[in-house]
Every structure is written in C-alpha cells, then in structure tokens.
Amino acid sequence: MTQEQIFEESSGNVFADLGLDDADELLTRGKIGIQVVRLLQRRNLKQQEISKILGITKPEVSDLMKGEFQQFSSVKVNFSIF
C-alpha cells in the first residue's frame, strides 16, 4: 500500500509560505546577499579584502559567504569595485 504524497504550490516566497511576519524583507535580504556573494566570488577576494571593502569584520565576512544574511540589515558597499 503506497501513501499518497500531498504537495502544496509555493507562493514564490518560502518565508511567506512558512508564515513569517517579515517574509518580504527576508526574501529581499536573501536575494541581495546572494548577488553580493556571487560578485565577491567572481573577484576571488580574500576575506581580509572583503572586510575592508564592505566595512565589516572577518567573522561577518565568513557569515556572509556562508549565506547567513539575517544579521545584515544594510551593508555599505562600494559598487564601483564590481
């Protein structure tokens, strides 16, 4: 006997699907964070260089590069480096 699987279509925002109050902010933060990480990876920068460019500590750089965006409300980025 096989159990029927039930699927629910996503709204496009996983945070909203989970019922989080700040879903739009979390989605936006994630999208921006991913793009920043991609740009930094393309530049092959060391964490110390990223720290200076973004004005954040090396542990914060580590968190950023691991996709832990929740602590970043705003990051001052000199986009001319990209």
Side-chain angles (χ1 to χ4, degrees), residues 21-37:
D21 291 334
D22 52 352
D24 290 335
E25 179 184 338
L26 291 168
L27 181 63
T28 300
R29 191 180 299 187
K31 287 180 177 181
I32 292 169
I34 288 168
Q35 292 304 314
V36 170
V37 169

Side-chain angles (χ1 to χ4, degrees), residues 10-56:
S10 172
S11 68
N13 182 339
V14 67
F15 303 107
D17 294 343
L18 292 171
L20 300 177
D21 291 334
D22 52 352
D24 290 335
E25 179 184 338
L26 291 168
L27 181 63
T28 300
R29 191 180 299 187
K31 287 180 177 181
I32 292 169
I34 288 168
Q35 292 304 314
V36 170
V37 169
R38 286 179 179 162
L39 290 168
L40 293 169
Q41 287 173 336
R42 271 191 236 145
R43 294 284 311 269
N44 293 318
L45 299 170
K46 297 181 191 280
Q47 285 195 359
Q48 183 174 357
E49 295 168 312
I50 294 170
S51 175
K52 282 184 180 182
I53 291 168
L54 298 182
I56 59 177

Side-chain angles (χ1 to χ4, degrees), residues 52-67:
K52 282 184 180 182
I53 291 168
L54 298 182
I56 59 177
T57 66
K58 283 193 256 180
E60 290 173 323
V61 171
S62 178
D63 289 343
L64 176 68
M65 300 308 284
K66 290 187 290 187

